[in-house]
Amino acid sequence: MENSTDSTAMNFILLGLFDYTKTHRVLFSLVFMTFITSLVGNILMILLIHTDPRLHTPMYFLLSQLSLMDLMLVSTIIPKMAANYLLNSRSISPAGCFSQIFLLLTLGGGECFLLSAMSYDRYVAICHPLCYHVLMSHKLCSQLVAGSWLLGEIDGLMQASAALSFPYCHSREIDHFFCEAPSLMRLVCADTTVFEFFMYICCILMLLIPLSLIVASYSLILAAVLRMHSAAARKKALTTCSSHLVVVAMFYGTLMVIYMRPRSYHSVGHSKVVSAFYTIFTPVLNPLIYSVRNKDVKGAFRNWLGKTHAM
């Protein structure tokens, strides 16, 4: 019994995103429906890409990995948040907190590099179409995906291990709806200057370097598009790239607000809203953005529906 009591005392308390007022219950229902929609949308995107031969290209393989990362991201956060809310429990163990930080940083960092790989794929497809299958081979595509996952895992492991190595104050109350390194730092009863500098350097490596590659790729793409003589070709290129740019802007914008602002500028309420955007709403928007204006995905979906009805 003493061990159980000690273990409970070591747990963190997540203050959550909602209270039990009528308005917040409605908001919780909307968030949970968004979670279900995100699960269905990303699973469907993965199934379509892997079952339809027309989508067996590097671009769609990278897109399937993005959907997998988004699927894992919402599954890391929302089920625990929903369980705590429905059971009126706010506790999370140190192991659970470590898992959330590790998976969030792994998936967030991996997605940063994956988005840069997707921008390189669009650069090759538009600027060097005749050499596309050489410059974007299946081997290189697999290496880019593996590298994205590996770099994300390294970043996640280092930061999660460091964040949970500090002594924490007695309350252990995290004013958030999941364990996130910046929120956890507010509870530390020690000097965190070195860790915050280390975290800032990691953010430069994981955010700004991939973002620089994306900006460079799209600058070259824009220059190539402006030189195109065919209006139809320009429209197709811009339509394909605009979807990716919207995803990049949403994802990088929210991450940079959370992880690259000085600590003195962090507002708890603001951080919760921004975190909710990239952990809840971005994963549900990605499959919509990539499918609504994409004829190949819509065609694959119609074929899948036809096969389902035939069965």
Side-chain angles (χ1 to χ4, degrees):
M1 288 291 290
E2 287 183 7
N3 288 339
S4 175
T5 304
D6 291 341
S7 176
T8 303
M10 291 295 290
N11 288 351
F12 293 101
I13 304 299
L14 294 171
L15 298 185
L17 189 59
F18 305 114
D19 55 34
Y20 291 92
T21 62
K22 185 177 181 180
T23 301
H24 278 223
R25 283 176 178 149
V26 171
L27 290 174
F28 170 77
S29 301
L30 289 174
V31 166
F32 194 76
M33 289 302 297
T34 302
F35 166 64
I36 298 298
T37 305
S38 180
L39 288 183
V40 172
N42 284 294
I43 289 172
L44 185 58
M45 184 68 78
I46 293 169
L47 288 174
L48 290 176
I49 290 170
H50 284 278
T51 56
D52 195 304
R54 293 175 300 175
L55 303 183
H56 291 174
T57 64
M59 182 180 84
Y60 291 110
F61 175 65
L62 294 172
L63 182 54
S64 72
Q65 293 299 305
L66 179 67
S67 289
L68 178 60
M69 288 181 178
D70 284 339
L71 184 65
M72 293 177 66
L73 183 63
V74 292
S75 300
T76 300
I77 302 301
I78 307 303
K80 177 61 178 174
M81 184 195 79
N84 280 1
Y85 185 79
L86 293 172
L87 299 174
N88 198 16
S89 167
R90 298 179 174 183
S91 178
I92 184 170
S93 67
C97 200
F98 175 88
S99 298
Q100 282 197 338
I101 295 174
F102 169 71
L103 287 170
L104 272 171
L105 292 171
T106 295
L107 297 166
E111 196 160 323
C112 287
F113 284 102
L114 187 67
L115 288 171
S116 66
M118 293 172 75
S119 70
Y120 170 73
D121 171 76
R122 290 301 83 211
Y123 159 72
V124 174
I126 293 169
C127 299
H128 303 283
L130 298 179
C131 303
Y132 180 75
H133 293 291
V134 176
L135 295 175
M136 200 63 190
S137 63
H138 178 73
K139 181 180 179 181
L140 176 61
C141 194
S142 299
Q143 289 172 342
L144 289 171
V145 168
S148 298
W149 281 100
L150 181 61
L151 290 169
E153 286 173 4
I154 292 171
D155 179 52
L157 186 61
M158 288 193 303
Q159 289 205 49
S161 300
L164 286 166
S165 66
F166 288 103
Y168 291 98
C169 299
H170 180 67
S171 69
R172 301 178 78 86
E173 290 185 350
I174 303 173
D175 195 359
H176 216 312
F177 59 97
F178 63 91
C179 278
E180 191 175 44
S183 299
L184 208 58
M185 289 301 99
R186 298 191 187 99
L187 306 183
V188 173
C189 300
D191 183 17
T192 61
T193 306
V194 174
F195 174 74
E196 287 183 25
F197 177 74
F198 163 72
M199 191 164 66
Y200 196 76
I201 295 299
C202 284
C203 288
I204 290 174
L205 295 174
M206 303 299 288
L207 290 174
L208 296 188
I209 291 179
L211 184 59
S212 300
L213 295 173
I214 292 170
V215 171
S217 296
Y218 277 100
S219 298
L220 294 170
I221 288 171
L222 181 60
V225 168
L226 293 176
R227 290 195 299 268
M228 290 178 179
H229 299 293
S230 168
R234 280 199 303 270
K235 183 180 179 182
K236 182 179 179 181
L238 289 173
T239 299
T240 304
C241 294
S242 62
S243 299
H244 186 239
L245 283 173
V246 169
V247 171
V248 168
M250 291 192 307
F251 187 73
Y252 274 91
T254 52
L255 284 184
M256 290 173 76
V257 167
I258 290 292
Y259 289 99
M260 297 199 70
R261 279 189 309 166
R263 187 175 179 180
S264 57
Y265 289 92
H266 274 245
S267 160
V268 173
H270 187 257
S271 295
K272 283 185 181 182
V273 172
V274 176
S275 296
F277 190 81
Y278 88 84
T279 57
I280 300 171
F281 298 108
T282 299
V284 76
L285 290 174
N286 284 352
L288 292 174
I289 290 168
Y290 280 111
S291 61
V292 168
R293 300 177 67 184
N294 190 304
K295 293 180 181 178
D296 293 335
V297 174
K298 287 192 285 188
F301 181 65
R302 282 193 294 267
N303 288 344
W304 178 77
L305 282 179
K307 291 177 182 178
T308 304
H309 286 308
M311 293 173 61

